[in-house]
Amino acid sequence: MRSSTSLAIASLLTIASAHVQLWYPEWRGNSFLPPFSQTIFPCAGINDNSTTARTLWPLDGGSLNFTLHDDAAYISVNIGLGVNTTNFNITLFSAPLNETGRGNVCFPKLQLPADFVVAEGTSASIQIATTSNSGEGLYNCGDITFTKNATLLPADQCQNSSTITITPLGQSVSTSPSTTSSAPATSSSSAASSLAYKEYTASGFVLLLAGLFTAML
Ligand SMILES: *[C@@H]1O[C@H](CO)[C@@H](O)[C@H](O)[C@H]1NC(C)=O
Ligand SMILES: *[C@@H]1O[C@H](CO)[C@@H](O)[C@H](O)[C@H]1NC(C)=O
Ligand SMILES: *[C@@H]1O[C@H](CO)[C@@H](O)[C@H](O)[C@H]1NC(C)=O
Ligand SMILES: *[C@@H]1O[C@H](CO)[C@@H](O)[C@H](O)[C@H]1NC(C)=O
Ligand SMILES: *[C@@H]1O[C@H](CO)[C@@H](O)[C@H](O)[C@H]1NC(C)=O
Ligand SMILES: *[C@@H]1O[C@H](CO)[C@@H](O)[C@H](O)[C@H]1NC(C)=O
Ligand SMILES: *[C@@H]1O[C@H](CO)[C@@H](O)[C@H](O)[C@H]1NC(C)=O
């Protein structure tokens, strides 16, 4: 009882500062658990070794399924070739995705770059990088083997929550010429979502603690 309570406290403390759950491809390890931390680039401090799982993933792009626990995030998805790579040089979206709302995000089939050709059996890793308006970066990696044997997730396993909205970043930003002497941008919407992000982090933590104390009674 006591040990399960302290375990609960430890995981609540961890979840309060870590915000992305990667479901598919299977993540390299549980990045909620210390000493791992999603704030560590490039893969939450978890090395890719012979014991970590590799999900079979189609040669021309596969599924990606994850849950976001924050009110807003800018999302990038990158691929690095090889085992335990730190070089995530294949970027799947030309601009980060601007996501708002908490919930599940699933891409049935990610589009790979047009000139990307990979050999059967190639080991690689997929990195999900999210950034808040305040600049905090969170990283998770899932290890894959590119193969013709792989299949996409069935539709009932791959859905976006109705609570989330995703658009390419910058879609609503005007294309004024950039100058180094321009006035600082004071976008009220980005200030507001930055605030919401911080408020969620704090209030979510209080709610989790409240739930814990209720459970202990
Ligand atoms: C995809 O995410 C949903 C929602 O979190 C989860 O229920 C489902 O098991 C996931 N599917 C796979 C194959 O990871
Ligand atoms: C492989 O990496 C995981 C996560 O970092 C670690 O828990 C495990 O001990 C490692 N195994 C080996 C054989 O190095
Ligand atoms: C993986 O890469 C990290 C960082 O470069 C390195 O410290 C670690 O020893 C490597 N682990 C394995 C199993 O190759
Ligand atoms: C990415 O880096 C790998 C080596 O890790 C290299 O083989 C590949 O050509 C690079 N791809 C791009 C698009 O830069
Ligand atoms: C793909 O399937 C074939 C036939 O079952 C098998 O020989 C091969 O090892 C598989 N490749 C991978 C990467 O699992
Ligand atoms: C989830 O949203 C993304 C971004 O708009 C989209 O590419 C993807 O197809 C959606 N997933 C499903 C299952 O509709
Ligand atoms: C991101 O999306 C939200 C609503 O979905 C919008 O209010 C905001 O302006 C967008 N931010 C950028 C930088 O595109």
Side-chain angles (χ1 to χ4, degrees), residues 28-29 36 45-52:
R28 186 176 292 175
F36 309 138
I46 310 176
N47 293 327
D48 175 9
N49 60 35
S50 55
T51 68
T52 53

Side-chain angles (χ1 to χ4, degrees), residues 79-82 85 87 89-90 115-116:
I79 292 179
L81 298 177
T85 184
N87 179 20
N89 61 341
I90 299 154
D115 57 353
F116 181 75

Side-chain angles (χ1 to χ4, degrees), residues 74 98-100 165 167-173 189:
Y74 300 137
N98 172 16
E99 185 277 340
T100 51
T165 306
T167 53
L169 183 63
Q171 190 163 276
S172 60
V173 173
S189 68

Side-chain angles (χ1 to χ4, degrees), residues 94-110:
S94 55
L97 302 176
N98 172 16
E99 185 277 340
T100 51
R102 285 172 244 163
N104 204 69
V105 179
C106 190
F107 295 89
K109 186 183 203 299
L110 284 174

Side-chain angles (χ1 to χ4, degrees), residues 103-173:
N104 204 69
V105 179
C106 190
F107 295 89
K109 186 183 203 299
L110 284 174
Q111 198 74 43
L112 300 179
D115 57 353
F116 181 75
V117 179
V118 69
E120 169 71 25
T122 300
S123 295
S125 300
I126 297 181
Q127 177 197 54
I128 320 300
T130 66
T131 321
S132 68
N133 273 325
S134 61
E136 181 189 20
L138 298 173
Y139 306 94
N140 275 287
C141 296
D143 301 316
I144 60 170
T145 301
F146 279 105
T147 172
K148 59 179 166 41
N149 299 351
T151 55
L152 301 173
L153 284 182
D156 66 351
Q157 284 288 305
C158 186
Q159 280 168 15
N160 291 337
S161 300
S162 58
T163 45
I164 62 150
T165 306
I166 303 180
T167 53
L169 183 63
Q171 190 163 276
S172 60
V173 173

